[in-house]
Amino acid sequence: METKSDQALVGVQNYLEGKKKVVILLSLHCSQEFPWTWEWFEDPRFHISSRTDAGVHALANAAHLDILRPPGKAPFTGPQLAQGLNHHLRPEPIRILSAQRVPSTFHARFCALSRTYIYRLLLGCAHHSQIPVFERDLCWAPPGGPLDIPAMREAAQFLLGTHDFSTFRSLGSDGASQSAVRTVQQLQLQPAPAFLAQHHRELEFWEVKVKSRAFLYR
């Protein structure tokens, strides 16, 4: 999501909001008989369904924005908006997968039915330098010996369902005043492929998949 000016990293939301006015301008094709000004537009901010922690990659994250078109101008189609944004996002590792019109009551954050986190574990690395180049920043290689997978799967069953997760929450977090009761819909531990599996057969990848409608801050 959005990052502040004093932060080293730039958020996906910052890039999107920096490009959208360019796309709108290129798509207007207004004639001299119909002058336009930026007042025709609400400031189109992107509202993203879920923020990510530092070092986390977002896949298929949903977002919405409100665009007010000048009188007589047809609404943008989903493909028009996606194509225009992607054209100007080409230098960045960001892509709009699809876009469509939704009712004005829709909100990407508050209407989300679920959110899923996937933690990728890499086993078999004696040193972090052995992590394959295409896996760097995309997995965690825990130190020590092999994991007790059956014990982890058994423990995961105790976290399913609705519980008070105060113990797992960061102390002093911004959301400390909110309820810590959450419902874990899915918690699975399963083998996973490497991105270039044929070159790293000696390494072992596992995925921890956690699904809930909402998670606690940090």
Side-chain angles (χ1 to χ4, degrees):
M1 291 180 67
E2 183 181 30
T3 56
K4 305 302 180 184
S5 58
D6 59 344
Q7 292 180 260
L9 298 176
V10 179
V12 171
Q13 185 174 357
N14 299 88
Y15 280 111
L16 289 173
E17 292 181 351
K19 300 295 184 183
K20 70 198 183 270
K21 286 187 178 179
V22 178
V23 175
I24 293 171
L25 177 61
L26 292 175
S27 303
L28 274 171
H29 304 298
C30 289
S31 65
Q32 293 182 351
E33 291 78 24
F34 187 78
W36 63 273
T37 65
W38 284 115
E39 280 92 19
W40 286 119
F41 301 97
E42 299 173 0
D43 186 19
R45 286 185 57 81
F46 280 83
H47 301 272
I48 301 180
S49 66
S50 182
R51 72 166 51 248
T52 60
D53 294 329
V56 176
H57 301 267
L59 298 174
N61 207 345
H64 83 268
L65 76 160
D66 300 313
I67 299 178
L68 181 64
R69 292 281 275 160
K73 284 291 175 181
F76 290 126
T77 67
Q80 282 177 330
L81 193 61
Q83 183 178 3
L85 284 168
N86 284 332
H87 175 77
H88 293 280
L89 286 169
R90 281 183 298 179
E92 306 302 333
I94 305 167
R95 289 297 177 270
I96 308 301
L97 302 181
S98 64
Q100 64 187 54
R101 296 184 68 189
V102 293
S104 59
T105 55
F106 175 83
H107 194 287
R109 177 184 174 189
F110 301 116
C111 294
L113 299 179
S114 67
R115 298 165 174 87
T116 301
Y117 280 85
I118 297 177
Y119 298 88
R120 300 180 70 246
L121 306 179
L122 171 58
L123 306 182
C125 283
H127 190 267
H128 64 80
S129 62
Q130 296 177 341
I131 298 177
V133 64
F134 289 109
E135 297 286 353
R136 289 177 183 173
D137 299 324
L138 296 175
C139 65
W140 177 47
L147 299 177
D148 189 338
I149 301 297
M152 294 174 67
R153 285 175 166 164
E154 181 181 357
Q157 299 306 306
F158 292 99
L159 298 176
L160 289 174
T162 303
H163 305 283
D164 186 327
F165 287 96
S166 297
T167 304
F168 297 88
R169 179 161 56 182
S170 173
L171 292 177
S173 68
D174 293 345
S177 60
Q178 299 178 355
S179 171
V181 176
R182 294 291 187 271
T183 300
V184 176
Q185 303 168 358
Q186 181 185 25
L187 181 50
Q188 290 183 335
L189 180 63
Q190 54 196 14
F195 287 125
L196 295 175
Q198 67 272 23
H199 298 298
H200 307 295
R201 294 172 183 170
E202 73 282 3
L203 300 178
E204 189 177 349
F205 287 84
W206 288 81
E207 283 184 353
V208 180
K209 182 180 292 186
V210 188
K211 178 180 178 181
S212 176
R213 186 177 184 276
F215 290 86
L216 297 175
Y217 179 68
R218 292 189 175 178

